[in-house]
Amino acid sequence: GENVEQHPSTLSVQEGDSAVIKCTYSDSASNYFPWYKQELGKRPQLIIDIRSNVGEKKDQRIAVTLNKTAKHFSLHITETQPEDSAVYFCAATPTFGNEKLTFGTGTRLTIIP
Amino acid sequence: SAVISQKPSRDICQRGTSLTIQCQVDSQVTMMFWYRQQPGQSLTLIATANQGSEATYESGFVIDKFPISRPNLTFSTLTVSNMSPEDSSIYLCSVEGTSGRPSTDTQYFGPGTRLTVL
């Protein structure tokens, strides 16, 4: 089955700096890669996703890049703000029609004011 | 996206008892899933709740321990049976394929049920 590795497990950045979280996956058939943000005591919330037919997607301060050859994808947050502090999870799904998501282990991001 | 609610939001239970968690969506959805999230950990899929048929369980999870129902396209229940302290966790439902559209792979999560077993 699919295996998703996520790094780093914790990340602290100064407010205003950029943060990058990286994930690798094992199943070359995976074609959908969402990112979720989970604040303390809250549900995971989808913040951005990317499909295998594109290499990059941006939404304001958030971007995701995908390298299918290397089987890795990354989340980039620019101009970080204190409200970006949360745990971020990447995920991958093996095949279209098989909607099971495999999640990474999570990254705890702390923005230092 | 759909509005997803779960009941109860939290509960404290005695070992050996069972708890049924409800997941309600305000619109029909194609897929419903149940996850467990242990403290400080990632999300682990328990099973896919299939409408009108038996749920599909992931490795390590069995129907006797986690019976699941899905009587229609907007509602599902997960029961945690014969609980032990190791079952203390957050249980989340998620849905996919909202607003009558075909599945798009995007999953949205309910608020979760925080379960503590003494």
Side-chain angles (χ1 to χ4, degrees):
Chain A
E2 175 68 281
N3 181 51
V4 177
E5 295 188 356
Q6 183 171 347
H7 300 280
S9 57
T10 61
L11 178 62
S12 295
V13 301
Q14 291 290 139
E15 182 177 354
D17 288 350
S18 296
V20 180
I21 302 170
K22 299 181 179 180
C23 289
T24 61
Y25 60 97
S26 60
D27 190 337
S28 57
S30 287
N31 62 4
Y32 176 64
F33 308 92
W35 286 88
Y36 289 85
K37 174 184 180 182
Q38 187 174 32
E39 297 176 81
L40 189 63
K42 302 286 183 64
R43 76 185 79 189
Q45 297 229 327
L46 180 74
I47 56 172
I48 196 166
D49 55 12
I50 193 167
R51 298 186 184 276
S52 59
N53 56 344
V54 295
E56 182 175 0
K57 183 177 178 180
K58 295 180 75 171
D59 182 2
Q60 300 182 5
R61 297 186 297 107
I62 294 173
V64 56
T65 58
L66 172 64
N67 183 327
K68 282 225 74 179
T69 302
K71 289 191 280 189
H72 67 70
F73 57 111
S74 301
L75 178 71
H76 304 253
I77 306 174
T78 59
E79 301 173 17
T80 53
Q81 301 168 3
E83 52 265 37
D84 294 330
S85 293
V87 178
Y88 291 80
F89 293 100
C90 63
T93 187
T95 57
F96 186 74
N98 177 0
E99 293 82 2
K100 294 194 301 183
L101 286 176
T102 300
F103 283 84
T105 49
T107 297
R108 181 174 300 279
L109 175 64
T110 302
I111 307 302
I112 305 167
Chain B
S1 60
V3 175
I4 309 164
S5 59
Q6 282 186 236
K7 288 182 183 179
S9 58
R10 58 179 62 223
D11 207 343
I12 301 173
C13 301
Q14 296 296 321
R15 70 170 67 211
T17 63
S18 298
L19 177 72
T20 295
I21 302 167
Q22 299 179 3
C23 180
Q24 178 75 55
V25 194
D26 70 342
S27 60
Q28 294 184 345
V29 295
T30 307
M31 308 289 289
M32 296 182 80
F33 305 90
W34 287 98
Y35 288 84
R36 181 172 73 184
Q37 186 175 31
Q38 297 182 304
Q41 302 295 312
S42 185
L43 295 98
T44 301
L45 181 64
I46 298 171
T48 303
N50 300 309
Q51 193 258 331
S53 65
E54 193 171 285
T56 304
Y57 289 85
E58 297 302 303
S59 175
F61 298 97
V62 296
I63 187 170
D64 289 347
K65 177 66 175 178
F66 298 101
I68 287 171
S69 78
R70 190 179 172 193
N72 56 51
L73 294 176
T74 64
F75 185 77
S76 178
T77 67
L78 168 74
T79 299
V80 186
S81 303
N82 188 24
M83 289 184 284
S84 67
E86 292 71 35
D87 294 320
S88 296
S89 190
I90 297 173
Y91 292 86
L92 298 119
C93 67
S94 74
V95 305
E96 180 183 311
T98 60
S99 303
R101 294 182 297 176
S103 172
T104 61
D105 299 327
T106 302
Q107 289 189 25
Y108 299 96
F109 284 86
T113 296
R114 182 179 295 273
L115 171 62
T116 302
V117 184
L118 302 177

